[in-house]
Structure formats: C-alpha cells, structure tokens
Amino acid sequence: MNILIIDGNSIVNRAFYGIHALSNKKGVFTNAITGFFNILLKLENNFKPDCVAVAFDMKAPTFRHQMYKDYKGTRKPMPEELAMQIPYVKKLLKAMGIVIVEKEGWEADDILGTISHGAELAGHTAVIATGDRDSFQLVTDKVTVNLAGNKEDTLYTPEKIREVYGVEPKQMIEVKALMGDSSDNIPGVKGVGEKTALDLIQKYSTISNIYDNLDDLTISDSLRRKLAADKENCFLSRELGTISLSAPVSTEISDYAPAERDESAIAIILTELEMFTLLKKLNVSTNAMQQAREAAYTKAALENGGNAADETLPDKNAADVILKDGGVTVCRDGKLELPDEKAAAEFLKSDAPKRTFDLKALYSYAMERNSDVKNVTFDITLAAYLLKVNSSDYSLERLCAEYDVPAAVNDLQLPECLYSLSGKLMNRIAAEKLGDILEKIEMPLAKVLAAMEKDGVLLDMDGIDRFGEQLENKINDTEQKIYEMAGERFNISSPKQLGSILFDKLMLPPGKKNHRGYSTNADVLEELRDKHPIINLITDYRAYTKLYSTYVNGLKAAVCEDGRVRSTFKQTETRTGRISSAEPNIQNIPVRTELGRNMRKFFTAKEGCLLVDADYSQIELRVLAHLAGDRLMQQSFINGDDIHTMTASQVFNQPIEWVTPELRSRAKAVNFGIVYGIGAFSLSKDINVSVAEAKRYIEAYLSKYSGVDGFMKKTVADAEKNLYVETLFGRKRYIPEIRASNKVVQAAAKRIAMNTPIQGTAADIIKLAMIKVFDRLEKEKLPARLILQVHDELIVEAEESCAEQVAKLLKEEMESCIKLDVPLIADVKIGKTWFDTH
C-alpha cells in the first residue's frame, strides 16, 4: 500500500501566503482553504494513495520546549486571517473521510516520521507532502518527500538528496545541527551557514566525528574556533532537529484508509464559505448541494423572521425573464411560459414590467430580431455584480448558493427560484444604496453594449496583411541580429535558453533565479538594458512577436464575413467598474509604441462614413481634484493650465517658464503615480532617480497638494473601518484584506483603496457619457452609431454628412454628463480611421 502523509500546518501556511486574500460575504477568509484543498486534490491525483493522513501541530509545548525553553521562541503568532481558516480545513477533511492526526506534546514532523517509518517497516511506501525541508532526514528507498514549491513541487528521493546536497538523507540532521534554523530558533554553530555545514558533513559525516577530531581537521582556524565555542549548542541542535520515529500514534497503515465521505457536510461547509468552485472540484452530488442550499435557506428564514427570500418586491406583478437554450423563458404567477420567437419578441418590447437575468443577453436577442426590450425594473446579474465585484461567476446556480435560495433543479422550480433570488438581491441593493447606479448606469448601459456588439467596427484586412508582412520581416531581422550577438541559434522565446545565453555565455549580471533557472522577465531585462545591445533586440523581438500573434492573427481570426470585428464588451468583469472587452480585446491594443499605434490604422469607417473620436482629457486627475477638494489642483484645471507643468512648478519649486520637458515628464509620472498609490521605490524606477529622490518628490507633492494627501489618508482610514471604498456614484468595492496582518497584502489593499474611488468614478462617468451619447443619437435619428469604447474615449461611426454635428454632440454629452468642481474636457477629432483621429 501507499500512504500520503500531509504536513497540515506547512501546507496550510504555504497556501495562505501563496494565494491573494479571498473571503466570503461574512468576512471569513478562504484563501488558505482554497489552496490547501487544491494541493490535496493534486497530490491525490499524482500519487493515487491507498491511505491519507494529515498531521497538525497542537498549541501545547512539546518535549523540545522542555529541552530548550527558547525553541521556536522567535516565531510570530499566526495571523488571525489564517487562524480562522484552520478549523474549516479540519472540518472539511473530516467530512471527506480523511484522518487527522495530532498529539499533544508532539509536533506534526514527529507524526510524519512515525507513520512513514511504520509504513516502511510494514513493507509499504509513503509520500510526505510538506513545504519544510526538515523532512528530508526521513527520506529512504520507501519514503519520499514531495516538497511544495512556489510554482511546482519537487520529489525528493535518496538520489535527489545526494544530487542536490551531496549527503545522505539522515545526514541532513547533522547539517542542521551545524547551521541551526532561525525559523525554529535552533541555535546551531554561530557563523556557520548551509554551504559550510554541507562541506563539513560531506567530508566528515557526523558532528560527533567532527568534534572527536576537531584539532586534526583541515579547516581554517577561524572555523575551528567557531565550532569549539558552540559545541554544546551544536549537539543540542541535533537533538532538537531530529524527528522522532516513535510518537504515540498508530503505525497501522490501514487505520488511515479514507472513510466514506459525508457529502451533505461538505456541501454545507463550502456553501457557507461560498467556495462553489471547490464544490465542483470535489464532485459533490447535485442532491447534496441542493440539500445544503435548502438548509441555508431555512437558516436564513429563521434569522429573518420567516422571510428567507426577503421577498418584499415592489414589482411583485413583474415577470421574471431569462434566456435558456437560445430561447426566452417567462415566469409569471409561479408558472413557466415558453413563448415562440415571435411571441417572445412581442412580449420583450411590451410595457409589461420585467425582471431579468442577464439584461445584455436579452437586448442582443431582441436586436437580432430588430426588436427591443422595455420596462425592465431589475436585473439579477448586474445587481449581483454591484454587490460583489470581486466574484468571477454570476451564474444562476452560483447566485442561488451564495444567497441561500433553493436552485431550480427542474424548469418547474424556475419561477420561484428567480422570484426569490430577485427578492434577495433587490433588498440587498436597497440596503447597500446601490439602486441608483443599477437603474441609471448599469441597466441602461446593457442596451448600449449590446448595440455596440451588434454593429462592430470595420477592419482593413489588406492593411492588416501588409502590416503582418512588415512585422514578419522585423521579427526575422531582429532574430538574426540576436543570433549574431549570441554567437549561436537558440529559442529566443525559451526563458531557460535565453537565460543560458545572457548569464552563462555573455556573463551579464543575473537577477532573480528560480528552480527553472534564471529569470528573463521584463523587469530583469530592463535592469540589463545598458549592459549589452542584445537586450534591446530581445525586447523588440518580444514586442514584434506579441503584436503579430495577438493582434495580426487575433484580429484576422475574429473578423466576420462582412469585414467587421465584433468584440464582446464585458460589464461584470472588472473590480473598478471599467468595461472590458474580449475576442478581440480592443482595450489592450498597445499604443505607446509607434508600431502599436499603427494598429489603429486598420480600424476604419465604412464607405461614405467617418469615425468621430472623443477622448476625455486627464479624467482621472480631474476626478481626483474633485474628490479631494484640493483647491490648488482644481484651480489649475479651471484656469486651463497644463496640469503636469503646474505640478512640476509646485513640486520642484520652479517658475513655470523654467519647467523643462524632463521636469514635466517627472511631474506627470508623480501625478499618475499618486492616483495609483505609487511608492518611492516604484516611482524611482519609473523616472530613473534614486529612491530617496523619488521619496522627496512624493513628499513635496503631498505637501503642496494637501487636499490630495488628506483625501488619500481618509480613504484608507474609511476602508479600514468599513472594509470597502466607494466611487462618487456609490459603487462599492469590498477590500477585507486591508485588515490583513501580512504587511505586503495590507499595503496592496491600501493601494487599491486609494485608486478605486478615482478609477471607478472615471469609469462611471464614461458609462454615463456612453448612455447619453447613445440616447441622443437615437433621439435625433442621426445616421451614426456608437461602435467602440476604449479606456477614456468613445468612437462613433457617422455618415460624412453629419460627422461635424456628431462631433459637437459627442463633446456636449461627454462634458455635461456630470458636473464636477472642475471642467470635464473631451477632445474630439474626425478621421477615416481610428489612427487619423489621433
């Protein structure tokens, strides 16, 4: 038999720090649970164990603490975000029938050692899964250690230990005795690190042999003195570091055979935690999931005084409408209706009140049939997005589980399911004060996006082909130059081969290194840019190949028979409220390089039409000026000053006429960096100055623009208190990780808190502008249509006869869609192609 023995604490810790903060709506963190069970499933799949045991430490002192009172004395307490997850891990393991092993006075390591040793004595094999190298001493011909890594695991056999460390597995105890272990506060010999420890054990086998022959060893006098001074600590460290093989736990391997799973318990736990992806991975039965939802529904009913669904719907007589299997399904008065295509179209455009599921999809359905959707009072998908922007799944099944509503196992249950879910969400929307943004922005926007997807934009396919040929030539030329400089041909796209050329052959200073070899990512290449001319060529090669594969091939693959490309605009994907697009992702077309900008030449107007492009000028900085109430920044915008020149004048204490292009460029980086919560280190890299100088720039900026400084501090403080931030329109983003004890996680959350109100408000403004432009074009019956939204710009395809009128309309609607304390400015241009409008 084969037994898998998991170091529970080690794997949970690795999962916690390896996955960004996740939590359910009640604030229970779930990232460690997610990671732990992903690892468990992977281990079970890889090793196909007959038996599984998971060992955990207990809080009580162990025999090692009695031996050395400072053992593990430097360890910080477990973060609360992790501590709250361990009971759930144990509950789930128990429900899965997996044996948990823990013994007061003994560490998980001792349990791993005892069970694996028992397995070997009985003729079985064992795999120990851990992230801790201490277990290497347990490796034998029948016991292997699967060491969890950041990207992939490594299996350690006796041969692997010898290959990597040059010693036998049991000698790893001797190595640790010499070098100690700061994480466990094992002292070792002061001044002896891993390299020296390994050298000594490779030559002299054991610390006993070293000390028995200390005077005769061929080592430096300095090392001899260190060894002599810490002899007692060295032998103590060996005792502390030796894993026991006789902990008082069962060594009968059959005792660890998995018991029958309690699917109901698994479903209830994971439903409470809102971990629906893991539910699917564990293949929990539909029946168990349904029972769990019904249990949650009943619990919610008790908590809400018998009203589980919060079904106080102001539009009780409205029909619930959903697209299923390509057709419209209508739920009314608890009954299911399946109208034919004609009847469905008539119903959708009628004045009958409707609640919908995925309003954009319904608009698309209607538009394909030259019809419309009217009098929609509520949409489930958009409401769910506003309530939880961090989710990646707004399916009906997921939402039912999340909001404690029994799912529709069959179509007959669909009316009650949709009605109850609408009730839950409608009341949540009201409680969170999100009604206005749902009704005035998101729901009207669904129609705009559906129309944009239907219309698409015309592509110049011949131009794309010519551009592709030009790129191919550049790729080939650059490739040859790289080979000449390298002195050989190799796969430039292989990080391993490229790293070998750069760092082994050309002897450039290596940066980060991982188990796969040297890192050759963009940050590493940027650091080497002035070290060798091959670096610029590699950067160019990467840019050319990405343009060719992602955009030339990507656009050609996406074009429809009429020559137009129809991107899918996603309304429920980003955390800040921005619209994203896919297939193709037009938002990501690179425009910072000349070649990337040239891609815009292939987006063109059809015969007899022009493109009218309106781009908001510095919208995020204008939003910041308004939100922060900073009078100095506001006055610059009111006066029509160049904000970056004014900032340079303020921050660098120079008269405006003395501001050089370089100073303006640095001020621009500070301006936009502040919006994204930039730190001194990142800014120093962006503008190529020292960290100290970048820090002075940021301090000077916040001193001059004290309103911005106060706004940022208040925003972070409010987020720490409320666990969310808001845009000007009330859109919310929850950031529970802002209370994380992990400083790196907390710092990232603070940056999100500072940035989201600004970026999110800008996103809301652009959405409002899209709605107003779309409505006015329809109202005035102009032969023009909004076809693209890319970041801060809107693009309309208009007949030549009305292009100037449309340009005026665009500017008016974009600049007047909301009144801020500073003017909103939209720069409008007309051209045959998107490139011509810039």
Side-chain angles (χ1 to χ4, degrees):
M1 286 199 295
N2 180 30
I3 183 168
L4 171 65
I5 316 164
I6 298 173
D7 184 344
N9 292 84
S10 173
I11 297 301
V12 165
N13 264 280
R14 182 162 288 276
F16 177 73
Y17 289 108
I19 298 179
H20 66 86
L22 301 169
S23 66
N24 69 359
K25 61 179 177 278
K26 293 179 180 177
V28 177
F29 282 80
T30 58
N31 53 325
I33 304 168
T34 300
F36 180 89
F37 284 96
N38 283 340
I39 291 169
L40 173 61
L41 292 174
K42 180 181 173 184
L43 290 167
E44 288 184 328
N45 181 62
N46 288 349
F47 297 107
K48 307 289 190 296
D50 303 295
C51 302
V52 181
V54 183
F56 283 98
D57 291 329
M58 297 189 76
K59 289 185 179 179
T62 68
F63 67 89
R64 292 182 181 88
H65 292 90
Q66 296 166 5
M67 191 186 303
Y68 180 55
K69 65 180 178 62
D70 292 326
Y71 179 65
K72 293 192 176 181
T74 55
R75 285 220 175 161
K76 294 179 181 177
M78 182 183 291
E80 177 58 32
E81 302 88 357
L82 172 55
M84 70 171 66
Q85 297 184 64
I86 288 181
Y88 286 102
V89 170
K90 292 181 178 180
K91 282 183 194 174
L92 278 167
L93 286 169
K94 184 177 179 183
M96 290 169 68
I98 293 173
V99 180
I100 295 171
V101 193
E102 45 194 1
K103 201 73 178 176
E104 199 167 283
W106 299 81
E107 293 185 53
D109 281 350
D110 301 314
I111 295 169
L112 302 177
T114 301
I115 297 175
S116 62
H117 184 59
E120 181 175 19
L121 291 176
H124 305 303
T125 57
V127 177
I128 295 170
T130 182
D132 189 347
R133 287 175 168 78
D134 287 351
S135 293
F136 286 174
Q137 62 185 271
L138 302 174
V139 171
T140 68
D141 289 337
K142 288 190 172 290
V143 178
T144 53
V145 168
N146 187 82
L147 187 72
N150 291 331
K151 291 188 177 178
E152 61 183 41
D153 298 352
T154 305
L155 193 64
Y156 280 85
T157 60
E159 292 75 23
K160 184 69 174 177
I161 298 284
R162 292 183 202 113
E163 175 194 333
V164 176
Y165 297 101
V167 299
E168 294 299 318
K170 286 193 179 299
Q171 290 179 307
M172 295 299 290
I173 304 170
E174 313 290 331
V175 173
K176 187 165 185 173
L178 288 164
M179 63 180 284
D181 185 343
S182 58
S183 67
D184 287 343
N185 202 32
I186 294 176
V189 175
K190 192 173 181 180
V192 172
E194 183 179 50
K195 186 177 185 304
T196 302
L198 282 169
D199 286 343
L200 287 168
I201 298 305
Q202 286 164 8
K203 290 177 184 176
Y204 305 110
S205 297
T206 66
I207 62 169
S208 297
N209 194 32
I210 288 171
Y211 281 103
D212 286 346
N213 301 281
L214 188 58
D215 293 337
D216 301 324
L217 301 182
T218 54
I219 58 174
S220 69
D221 289 341
S222 171
L223 178 55
R224 201 184 319 275
R225 285 194 296 271
K226 290 175 183 175
L227 289 166
D230 266 335
K231 179 178 179 180
E232 187 177 331
N233 275 342
C234 187
F235 280 94
L236 170 65
S237 298
R238 184 166 67 176
E239 283 191 74
L240 292 171
T242 300
I243 294 174
S244 174
L245 304 181
S246 56
V249 297
S250 173
T251 55
E252 181 58 54
I253 303 308
S254 60
D255 288 347
Y256 303 108
E260 186 177 348
R261 294 202 317 176
D262 184 344
E263 292 215 332
S264 177
I266 294 171
I268 288 170
I269 295 165
L270 292 178
T271 298
E272 177 191 341
L273 294 172
E274 300 166 25
M275 296 178 67
F276 307 109
T277 302
L278 185 55
L279 259 176
K280 290 180 181 177
K281 286 184 180 179
L282 291 174
N283 295 316
V284 175
S285 69
T286 303
N287 186 50
M289 288 193 283
Q290 182 68 10
Q291 288 176 354
R293 286 170 193 157
E294 287 173 358
Y297 189 70
T298 303
K299 181 181 176 184
L302 293 172
E303 291 172 353
N304 292 336
N307 187 10
D310 299 332
E311 293 163 355
T312 317
L313 294 179
D315 55 348
K316 278 192 174 183
N317 296 323
D320 291 292
V321 188
I322 187 171
L323 272 181
K324 278 177 89 319
D325 305 320
V328 172
T329 296
V330 179
C331 301
R332 228 177 338 200
D333 300 325
K335 297 176 182 176
L336 196 78
E337 302 172 20
L338 300 171
D340 61 30
E341 192 172 293
K342 183 179 178 182
E346 287 299 318
F347 172 72
L348 289 176
K349 69 178 182 181
S350 74
D351 290 330
K354 307 164 189 75
R355 292 183 298 265
T356 60
F357 182 93
D358 195 350
L359 180 55
K360 180 163 78 80
L362 278 169
Y363 272 122
S364 295
Y365 175 91
M367 288 175 184
E368 286 170 7
R369 292 155 180 80
N370 298 313
S371 188
D372 199 359
V373 182
K374 292 183 179 177
N375 200 13
V376 175
T377 61
F378 188 76
D379 182 74
I380 288 174
T381 305
L382 295 175
Y385 169 62
L386 288 174
L387 288 167
K388 194 173 183 181
V389 298
N390 293 329
S391 179
S392 58
D393 182 359
Y394 300 100
S395 64
L396 183 60
E397 180 186 21
R398 164 74 184 257
L399 294 177
C400 285
E402 185 170 346
Y403 289 96
D404 306 329
V405 171
V409 175
N410 55 56
D411 285 349
L412 292 177
Q413 295 172 339
L414 191 60
E416 180 61 28
C417 169
L418 291 174
Y419 183 91
S420 298
L421 189 56
S422 289
K424 282 276 189 179
L425 290 170
M426 201 174 284
N427 281 278
R428 291 281 179 90
I429 287 287
E432 297 277 355
K433 297 182 172 57
L434 292 167
D436 274 358
I437 200 165
L438 175 65
E439 294 164 19
K440 295 177 181 176
I441 296 182
E442 295 299 344
M443 285 168 57
L445 182 70
K447 182 175 184 178
V448 180
L449 296 179
M452 288 166 61
E453 290 178 358
K454 178 175 179 287
D455 291 333
V457 59
L458 186 66
L459 288 185
D460 174 5
M461 296 307 296
D462 291 338
I464 290 177
D465 285 336
R466 290 192 298 273
F467 184 64
E469 290 171 7
Q470 179 189 350
L471 273 177
E472 280 185 319
N473 290 333
K474 284 184 174 293
I475 290 167
N476 292 333
D477 289 346
T478 308
E479 197 172 52
Q480 290 307 313
K481 290 175 183 175
I482 291 171
Y483 293 155
E484 287 170 14
M485 286 190 184
E488 62 179 274
R489 297 178 68 85
F490 66 100
N491 183 355
I492 303 168
S493 299
S494 163
K496 185 175 182 180
Q497 292 185 36
L498 179 59
S500 179
I501 292 292
L502 296 180
F503 307 118
D504 293 333
K505 186 168 184 180
L506 298 180
M507 303 298 289
L508 296 178
K512 294 174 282 188
K513 192 173 183 181
N514 54 39
H515 63 282
R516 293 181 178 175
Y518 299 106
S519 172
T520 58
N521 64 23
D523 290 341
V524 171
L525 293 189
E526 185 60 36
E527 293 292 328
L528 299 172
R529 192 177 284 277
D530 61 346
K531 301 290 191 299
H532 198 288
I534 198 173
I535 301 299
N536 284 332
L537 290 172
I538 293 165
T539 303
D540 290 344
Y541 177 84
R542 286 180 173 179
Y544 299 153
T545 52
K546 182 173 175 60
L547 268 176
Y548 189 85
S549 62
T550 306
Y551 296 104
V552 173
N553 287 343
L555 286 172
K556 286 169 72 173
V559 74
C560 302
E561 287 184 9
D562 60 359
R564 299 180 81 89
V565 67
R566 291 171 169 84
S567 184
T568 299
F569 291 97
K570 298 189 175 183
Q571 197 174 353
T572 61
E573 187 163 276
T574 68
R575 308 292 183 255
T576 58
R578 286 248 181 210
I579 299 164
S580 63
S581 67
E583 298 176 350
N585 183 352
I586 294 174
Q587 310 277 347
N588 271 10
I589 288 179
V591 293
R592 292 188 178 182
T593 63
E594 183 182 353
L595 267 176
R597 285 192 292 272
N598 283 337
M599 291 298 302
R600 292 193 292 211
K601 291 179 180 178
F602 314 122
F603 292 80
T604 185
K606 68 180 182 180
E607 189 68 30
C609 291
L610 293 169
L611 297 184
V612 185
D613 182 299
D615 193 351
Y616 273 125
S617 170
Q618 300 163 336
I619 186 169
E620 290 187 350
L621 289 177
R622 293 171 189 271
V623 166
L624 173 59
H626 174 87
L627 293 176
D630 190 289
R631 295 307 304 162
L632 182 60
M633 185 180 281
Q634 287 181 357
Q635 198 59 50
S636 292
F637 282 122
I638 291 167
N639 294 343
D641 298 331
D642 179 279
I643 188 65
H644 303 311
T645 301
M646 287 299 297
T647 299
S649 172
Q650 294 293 331
V651 171
F652 306 124
N653 200 24
Q654 298 285 342
I656 286 179
E657 57 271 20
W658 289 9
V659 172
T660 63
E662 182 184 18
L663 287 180
R664 184 186 182 277
S665 177
R666 289 183 178 182
K668 183 177 180 179
V670 176
N671 267 327
F672 287 114
I674 291 295
V675 169
Y676 287 87
I678 201 168
F681 177 74
S682 297
L683 180 62
S684 70
K685 294 185 75 174
D686 287 349
I687 61 178
N688 198 26
V689 298
S690 69
V691 175
E693 194 170 354
K695 186 171 184 286
R696 286 198 300 273
Y697 291 167
I698 293 173
E699 288 172 349
Y701 180 99
L702 295 175
S703 173
K704 293 289 185 179
Y705 295 104
S706 57
V708 172
D709 187 31
F711 168 73
M712 293 296 189
K713 288 175 178 173
K714 184 178 185 303
T715 299
V716 170
D718 288 347
E720 289 172 337
K721 176 184 175 185
N722 303 320
L723 296 182
Y724 65 82
V725 290
E726 288 183 294
T727 70
L728 182 63
F729 296 85
R731 183 186 302 275
K732 291 181 179 179
R733 179 177 182 179
Y734 281 84
I735 318 172
E737 55 268 34
I738 201 160
R739 290 186 188 169
S741 55
N742 182 304
K743 296 302 179 185
V744 175
V745 173
Q746 188 185 96
K750 287 180 179 179
R751 287 193 295 273
I752 290 170
M754 288 186 274
N755 167 246
T756 296
I758 302 163
Q759 196 180 114
T761 298
D764 290 338
I765 290 171
I766 292 159
K767 287 179 173 180
L768 266 180
M770 292 172 73
I771 295 162
K772 289 183 172 293
V773 167
F774 181 86
D775 287 348
R776 190 164 161 197
L777 287 173
E778 280 202 332
K779 181 182 177 183
E780 297 190 12
K781 294 183 169 54
L782 290 170
R785 50 199 178 174
L786 181 62
I787 59 170
L788 281 180
Q789 180 272 336
V790 184
H791 302 306
D792 302 333
E793 62 184 297
L794 303 183
I795 303 168
V796 173
E797 186 177 49
E799 287 189 6
E800 291 178 4
S801 59
C802 69
E804 291 292 344
Q805 185 181 353
V806 168
K808 182 181 177 185
L809 178 156
L810 256 181
K811 189 172 180 67
E812 286 175 0
E813 295 301 334
M814 289 179 72
E815 292 184 351
S816 67
C817 69
I818 183 175
K819 183 168 178 56
L820 300 179
D821 292 338
V822 298
L824 274 177
I825 302 295
D827 299 320
V828 187
K829 292 184 180 176
I830 301 172
K832 186 62 181 175
T833 71
W834 187 14
F835 183 88
D836 297 335
T837 63
H838 284 265

